[in-house]
Amino acid sequence: MPELNAKIPSGPLKDKWTQHKAHIKLVNPANKHKYNIIVVGTGLAGGSAAATLAELGYNVQVFCFQDSPRRAHSIAAQGGINASKNYPNDGDSIYRLFYDTIKGGDFRSREANVYRLAEVSGNIIDQCVAQGVPFAREYAGYLDNRSFGGAQVSRTFYARGQTGQQLLLGAYSALMKEVNKGSVKMFPRTEMLELVVVDGVARGIVTRNLVTGDIETHAADAVVLATGGYANVFHLSTNAKGANVTAIWRAHKKGAFMANPCYTQIHPTCIPVHGDYQSKLTLMSESLRNDGRVWVPKKPQDKRNPRDIPEEERDYYLERKYPSFGNLVPRDLASRNAKEVCDEGRGVGPTGQAVYLDFADALKRSGKAVLAERYGNLFDMYEKITGSNPYDEPMMIYPAAHYTMGGLWVDYNLMSNLPGLFVIGEANFSDHGANRLGASALMQGLADGYFILPYTIGDYLAGVKAGKATTDIPEFKEAEKYAKEKINRLLTIRGKRTVDEFHRELGLLMWNQCGMARDEKGLKEALSRIFEIRNEFWQNVDVPGSGTDLNQSLERAGRVADFLEFAETMVYDALHRKESCGGHFREEFQTPEGEALRNDNHFCYVAAWEFNGVGKEPVLHKEPLDFEEVHLAQRNYK
Amino acid sequence: MSKINLTLKVWRQKNGREKGGFETYTAKDIDTDMSFLEMLDVVNEQLTHEGKEPIAFDHDCREGVCGMCGAVINGQAHGPLKGTTLCQLHMRNFRNGETLVIEPWRSRGFPILKDLVVDRSAFDRIIAAGGYISVKTGQAPDAHAVPVRKEDSDTAFDAAACIGCGACVAACPNASAMLFTAAKVSHLSHLPQGQVEAPERVIKMVEQMDKERFGNCSNEYECEAACPKEISVEHIARMNSEYRQAKWKAKH
Ligand SMILES: Cc1cc2nc3c(=O)[nH]c(=O)nc-3n(C[C@H](O)[C@H](O)[C@H](O)COP(=O)(O)OP(=O)(O)OC[C@H]3O[C@@H](n4cnc5c(N)ncnc54)[C@H](O)[C@@H]3O)c2cc1C
Ligand code: FES
């Protein structure tokens, strides 16, 4: 196996991307249409990439499992998207966005990638506005900004509480424009099941048509995975129900390295769990922390109505512990602190697993109309779900699994260690280190799709002979056969437990043992439990229906089967990383104040895992992280 | 929190070729804090344990924004609560002992695929016909190059909030797709960037809509009433007037 080469261009940080663009190989415009590119996923990353590649002249085939590309999980993003435009004139710059992102990620990301991300962030806003994305505006007609966790400037652009929706509809419209021209062929309700690798090079995919059940093969000169994150390994998460690890996991099994899978983000402001039937957790955008104040009673087990608890008996613990960032500390800190106060018995609500997010002061200061303008749809959603009105009573919130920083390993060109396989958006591991800052996932997805991959993929394709893609080779037949056999196996077990029962069991285990806080004992227990659950799954799952029509139980079964394998890799990663950083908090490694304690001497690297068989410990490859620009420091938000 | 029992009459149909019909199920001990889809999950778990095939229904975000879910409950698209998708409808809105008739969207434009799942690809084709600003990546000027009046931007947003669920079609006695199409036309034409292509856009989108076998609009306003995003029929009026002007311009 060749060593990991991140292919970071040489030269000063701020010139790397410009220089790289100036020197990478180009595909002759007249030849572009001869190249076939497969894009799996139509979220912000996949939608923007597919549209842009088609505009450039490539022949693009696009896949998603929803009935329309417009419904990808990106649609649910609420709060906003960062860009270092410095429109508010509050001192923002490319460097500051770069620095905040590196620091927010607890010094576990690549400087060169993050700098490039900050560099192209402004172009994203320009592009989206030109597409007609209705970002929030001030009365003068210019764009409005707000601040998000982990930053002291206002650099977040937003569209009410539906930023993801509006950005995705922009990318979708660009995509449909290309569908209309015939340069994109769209395959909705189609799930990728296998990656096809020929002589070490990604050559295509195997898919299942989710309506007819047909298994099909598709060949290409390059395959782009933009299939999102794996937070549903926790079963209960803020992700859409269909979000899965299948595409990247099956690519991993074909040789693509999985990087930093233990870096998962637990979002501090979600509606708490209220029943065992619960199917998902709903996020209340982090932007609420601009105006909402987080508190719990000072006394444990204080069951009084929140309005009856006087000021001096409340603990605004984030403001107390982090006076300069206050309620706007990064997500990992906000989540862990919520867990801590609940573990002390000071949690509120019927389960004691919740804290207050209170808007009383903001209401007094700004009035109901202003709050309604900023958060109206979030308040409505909260009321619909809980039956309680946040204008009158404080919200109750609790952390929930939300985002995954880990993903397939990619180099600076966003190509995995398998030539021809590119990975973009949440599906790769690239830019957020051990913790992502709010409003930076949308930025990364669109940066990858609009402004980075369309250049870097050309560098690869220029070295590939066009028009050679064919499914008429044994590797495709084998992959197809394998996919069919797996489906058959799932359908013939006819055991006693439903797919959801297994998913819930796995999710709860991961949440307890590999969630907000982890330790060696718990992780080791998790390894043996995952093994048992997976074994039982393959003997006792009941997947009703047939493989030759629309069968949602079968779709879920395939995804849960993959989570049951992937979970182990996640735990191995968490176990081996004997330090705390960002979202990865190992109880054994903390400062006397309870903050994450990194170990830069031993763990300042990307852990990229090579598949070694189901149930076997994967092989670790390290990509050292060199910090030339920033000084490694203990994060401080006090 | 309290528990209720319900009788469900659910449309079951194996696929687009075979005929469907109603089946009756009981939903017992339903927690009123559940969402409608969580109630269906519970029924599906029960059906699976009884060796029956669960009810197929589309869903994904379960936050009211992807537009994937939807069914007609007792004759109302997305059920009784105004401005609410099925996934955001909670069981506290129903009474113990109620009978709920649950059907898929019914329209010639939306063929049934299975049970409550329909094919809404016609909506994608309407957008593909012209529902965009044809700017390519890289062509955009600075975002502040063109200021936009806040009122226009806000109205554009109101229209752009459409989630493409299809409830407007399901609720319309003529199964018309006017509200869906108008929302996109109006979103883009309220913005200065969208002006350049506005006349061609409205003509192409309306022509595609007609091809998809959706019915005509006869001003019943059922679409607005059923829309989970409460998109106003005023956008239809705007589209009609844009369409007339664009046709007139094209002739002269
Ligand atoms: C509730 C919520 C709120 C958020 N708010 C914000 C925010 O305010 N700001 C911010 O920056 N970030 C936010 N995020 C994070 C952000 O939305 C996501 O990280 C981002 O949208 C991911 O985009 P993506 O394009 O990588 O993948 P996704 O949008 O998840 O798209 C994945 C695509 O892949 C397809 N796919 C997946 N698997 C397969 C398969 N096997 N076969 C075929 N197709 C497949 C799907 O159909 C889909 O089209 C939020 C996330 C959540 C859950
Ligand atoms: S599931 Fe997304 S809108 Fe209902």
Side-chain angles (χ1 to χ4, degrees):
Chain A
M1 188 58 68
E3 260 322 294
L4 279 182
N5 178 358
K7 302 218 179 95
I8 297 168
S10 57
L13 185 63
K14 63 180 191 356
D15 300 334
K16 283 183 197 289
W17 178 232
T18 314
Q19 288 298 324
H20 188 60
K21 278 193 294 184
H23 292 106
I24 51 181
K25 284 179 268 172
L26 297 172
V27 177
N28 180 337
N31 285 339
K32 286 205 174 106
H33 71 276
K34 295 182 193 154
Y35 287 95
N36 227 4
I37 302 177
I38 283 174
V39 178
V40 188
T42 60
L44 288 179
S48 59
T52 306
L53 292 168
E55 287 167 3
L56 289 172
Y58 295 110
N59 218 345
V60 187
Q61 290 160 287
V62 182
F63 300 81
C64 70
F65 66 75
Q66 293 91 348
D67 70 329
S68 161
R70 66 180 290 154
R71 306 200 203 281
H73 160 63
S74 293
I75 199 119
Q78 302 169 350
I81 176 166
N82 287 331
S84 59
K85 284 278 198 189
N86 194 29
Y87 285 156
N89 195 29
D90 57 358
D92 201 9
S93 62
I94 291 172
Y95 190 87
R96 198 178 280 279
L97 174 53
F98 154 76
Y99 185 79
D100 286 350
T101 309
I102 290 273
K103 176 182 169 194
D106 216 352
F107 305 92
R108 287 292 174 263
S109 39
R110 258 187 221 146
E111 279 189 339
N113 282 56
V114 176
Y115 194 87
R116 173 176 65 186
L117 176 65
E119 228 179 319
V120 303
S121 65
N123 302 30
I124 297 172
I125 304 303
D126 301 341
Q127 188 63 32
C128 296
V129 166
Q131 288 168 345
V133 170
F135 282 121
R137 287 182 187 265
E138 297 169 345
Y139 279 100
Y142 295 104
L143 297 168
D144 189 23
N145 289 105
R146 61 186 175 198
S147 43
F148 249 59
Q152 287 174 314
V153 293
S154 290
R155 61 162 74 98
T156 305
F157 293 78
Y158 66 101
R160 294 191 194 156
Q162 288 127 279
T163 315
Q165 180 198 25
Q166 294 308 317
L167 294 175
L168 185 64
L169 293 181
Y172 161 76
S173 70
L175 181 66
M176 296 319 277
K177 149 177 87 54
E178 297 302 314
V179 167
N180 195 42
K181 280 198 209 136
S183 41
V184 167
K185 183 156 169 39
M186 188 64 229
F187 296 81
R189 289 205 200 267
T190 306
E191 180 160 25
M192 166 182 160
L193 295 182
E194 293 295 327
L195 177 74
V196 180
V197 177
V198 182
D199 298 330
V201 176
R203 280 304 199 172
I205 60 171
V206 177
T207 59
R208 178 167 184 270
N209 177 320
L210 299 181
V211 179
T212 62
D214 293 342
I215 305 291
E216 285 155 354
T217 51
H218 308 265
D221 298 296
V223 175
V224 181
L225 299 186
T227 48
Y230 51 82
N232 279 349
V233 69
F234 294 104
H235 180 252
L236 284 184
S237 86
T238 62
N239 283 204
K241 289 295 288 173
N244 65 83
V245 76
T246 291
I248 62 170
W249 181 250
R250 300 206 183 170
H252 173 66
K253 289 174 85 172
K254 288 289 175 69
F257 291 174
M258 185 69 74
N260 300 337
C262 80
Y263 291 166
T264 50
Q265 178 165 80
I266 310 299
H267 196 292
T269 50
C270 304
I271 300 180
V273 177
H274 47 81
D276 52 10
Y277 51 80
Q278 190 132 3
S279 62
K280 80 160 289 174
L281 293 172
T282 303
L283 176 79
M284 289 283 108
S285 166
E286 167 162 322
S287 61
L288 294 170
R289 289 198 273 142
N290 270 300
D291 283 299
R293 298 180 69 197
V294 177
W295 66 275
V296 289
K298 281 188 178 159
K299 274 199 309 247
Q301 318 301 341
D302 189 339
K303 296 285 170 211
R304 281 177 290 174
N305 181 314
R307 291 283 171 251
D308 296 337
I309 302 182
E311 271 306 304
E312 62 281 5
E313 290 179 43
R314 300 174 176 193
D315 181 12
Y316 295 90
Y317 56 90
L318 290 178
E319 298 171 23
R320 172 172 58 80
K321 290 174 72 176
Y322 309 97
S324 57
F325 279 71
N327 293 297
L328 285 175
V329 292
R331 291 175 176 175
D332 51 337
L333 290 186
S335 293
R336 233 176 12 254
N337 277 284
K339 178 177 187 299
E340 207 175 284
V341 295
C342 293
D343 289 351
E344 289 164 13
R346 298 195 286 145
V348 299
T351 61
Q353 296 288 305
V355 300
Y356 291 123
L357 180 64
D358 200 335
F359 294 90
D361 285 353
L363 270 168
K364 258 185 246 152
R365 196 172 57 237
S366 317
K368 191 167 172 177
V370 171
L371 285 202
E373 167 93 16
R374 284 187 197 147
Y375 313 114
N377 72 316
L378 295 172
F379 282 21
D380 289 349
M381 183 149 87
Y382 183 85
E383 187 172 3
K384 262 177 207 159
I385 295 173
T386 63
S388 140
N389 176 350
Y391 295 105
D392 300 335
E393 297 172 89
M395 278 187 180
M396 282 195 269
I397 53 163
Y398 197 69
H402 175 58
Y403 178 87
T404 54
M405 284 72 73
L408 290 184
W409 184 88
V410 288
D411 64 15
Y412 187 73
N413 291 324
L414 304 180
M415 188 162 86
S416 73
N417 58 304
L418 295 178
L421 178 68
F422 291 79
V423 192
I424 58 177
E426 194 175 337
N428 73 22
F429 88 105
S430 68
D431 297 352
H432 307 293
N435 173 55
R436 173 177 71 78
L437 290 183
S440 285
L442 303 182
M443 169 172 73
Q444 183 224 332
L446 291 179
D448 288 0
Y450 284 133
F451 297 110
I452 301 171
L453 178 86
Y455 289 99
T456 58
I457 204 170
D459 189 50
Y460 170 76
L461 290 172
V464 174
K465 216 167 154 43
K468 289 274 172 207
T470 168
T471 57
D472 216 7
I473 42 176
E475 283 85 350
F476 275 94
K477 300 283 162 302
E478 270 162 41
E480 184 183 336
K481 190 163 151 254
Y482 180 80
K484 282 185 178 157
E485 281 170 4
K486 188 156 182 178
I487 288 173
N488 239 348
R489 246 181 97 195
L490 286 169
L491 287 167
T492 46
I493 299 168
R494 297 285 158 182
K496 295 213 153 44
R497 293 180 69 195
T498 67
V499 176
D500 274 14
E501 287 165 15
F502 284 100
H503 197 178
R504 263 174 221 283
E505 189 177 358
L506 173 71
L508 195 62
L509 176 73
M510 294 302 279
W511 177 248
N512 289 333
Q513 321 278 72
C514 195
M516 255 188 290
R518 304 143 178 200
D519 66 13
E520 180 167 329
K521 184 166 157 280
L523 289 167
K524 286 193 167 149
E525 262 167 40
L527 277 182
S528 59
R529 283 295 300 135
I530 296 167
F531 174 82
E532 288 163 15
I533 302 172
R534 187 173 61 234
N535 271 353
E536 196 201 333
F537 176 89
W538 284 104
Q539 282 159 22
N540 197 25
V541 72
D542 182 10
V543 184
S546 91
T548 55
D549 71 357
L550 200 157
N551 184 341
Q552 295 171 324
S553 307
L554 177 62
E555 292 166 29
R556 284 203 300 276
R559 294 172 194 157
V560 172
D562 290 332
F563 279 130
L564 282 165
E565 295 178 1
F566 165 77
E568 245 169 23
T569 305
M570 197 171 141
V571 174
Y572 275 120
D573 188 38
L575 200 52
H576 111 283
R577 191 167 279 279
K578 294 190 169 59
E579 66 164 349
S580 294
C581 54
H584 170 64
F585 190 76
R586 283 280 300 260
E587 305 269 14
E588 305 97 315
F589 308 102
Q590 45 181 307
T591 65
E593 298 91 50
E595 306 294 356
L597 185 63
R598 289 199 324 265
N599 180 343
D600 293 331
N601 290 334
H602 286 100
F603 292 99
C604 196
Y605 60 78
V606 176
W609 299 93
E610 180 186 353
F611 184 70
N612 192 26
V614 173
K616 298 222 178 83
E617 183 166 353
V619 180
L620 176 64
H621 297 256
K622 296 179 186 176
E623 180 206 326
L625 291 169
D626 294 322
F627 289 89
E628 294 170 2
E629 194 69 32
V630 306
H631 173 64
L632 286 179
Q634 164 93 32
R635 284 192 313 174
N636 182 3
Y637 291 97
K638 294 212 185 264
Chain B
M1 187 210 317
S2 58
K3 306 256 184 196
I4 54 174
N5 297 323
L6 299 162
T7 304
L8 308 182
K9 294 201 157 137
V10 186
W11 185 262
R12 303 300 308 258
Q13 181 169 340
K14 200 164 164 33
N15 53 43
R17 298 173 302 278
E18 285 170 49
K19 269 176 68 178
F22 284 102
E23 296 275 343
T24 305
Y25 307 108
T26 47
K28 273 179 67 175
D29 287 336
I30 297 300
D31 196 320
T32 50
D33 278 341
M34 278 183 198
S35 72
F36 198 89
L37 299 188
E38 284 170 340
M39 183 275 291
L40 287 181
D41 290 340
V42 169
V43 173
N44 273 345
E45 289 288 282
Q46 182 189 315
L47 289 175
T48 307
H49 279 300
E50 288 166 5
K52 296 180 190 148
E53 239 197 282
I55 304 157
F57 63 92
D58 264 333
H59 64 101
D60 200 24
C61 74
R62 298 204 175 191
E63 291 192 5
V65 71
C66 75
M68 191 103 176
C69 68
V72 175
I73 314 301
N74 290 347
Q76 284 176 296
H78 286 303
L81 206 62
K82 211 171 139 42
T84 306
T85 55
L86 203 56
C87 58
Q88 293 284 286
L89 176 66
H90 282 69
M91 298 313 291
R92 63 182 81 91
N93 295 292
F94 298 95
R95 285 185 322 277
N96 188 27
E98 239 181 297
T99 296
L100 306 182
V101 181
I102 307 173
E103 301 169 82
W105 293 163
R106 297 201 191 268
S107 152
R108 277 189 312 184
F110 291 158
I112 295 177
L113 296 175
K114 183 171 185 169
D115 300 342
L116 306 176
V117 179
V118 300
D119 176 356
R120 287 171 289 203
S121 55
F123 273 11
D124 285 328
R125 291 188 292 273
I126 293 175
I127 298 294
Y132 38 76
I133 293 170
S134 303
V135 58
K136 290 186 191 162
T137 305
Q139 289 177 327
D142 186 88
H144 271 179
V146 185
V148 180
R149 283 179 60 78
K150 185 168 170 15
E151 294 82 346
D152 290 336
S153 176
D154 285 349
T155 315
F157 192 107
D158 293 341
C162 168
I163 58 174
C165 63
C168 47
V169 173
C172 175
N174 312 322
S176 160
M178 285 290 265
L179 189 60
F180 170 79
T181 310
K184 189 45 68 186
V185 165
S186 181
H187 156 211
L188 295 174
S189 72
H190 268 96
L191 298 170
Q193 311 87 297
Q195 298 297 334
V196 182
E197 297 168 283
E200 295 80 20
R201 176 183 307 122
V202 67
I203 292 179
K204 285 186 196 153
M205 289 181 75
V206 169
E207 279 172 1
Q208 187 64 37
M209 180 183 80
D210 291 341
K211 266 193 223 153
E212 299 289 350
R213 314 203 308 157
F214 290 111
N216 290 324
C217 174
S218 52
N219 298 320
E220 312 283 337
Y221 300 163
E222 293 291 342
C223 51
E224 181 184 289
C227 176
K229 299 295 140 182
E230 305 186 71
I231 292 174
S232 158
V233 290
E234 280 170 26
H235 298 293
I236 297 183
R238 182 177 173 113
M239 176 169 82
N240 283 336
S241 103
E242 270 192 47
Y243 182 78
R244 277 193 303 274
Q245 282 175 31
K247 276 291 198 195
W248 189 85
K249 259 200 212 142
K251 262 194 222 141
H252 296 85

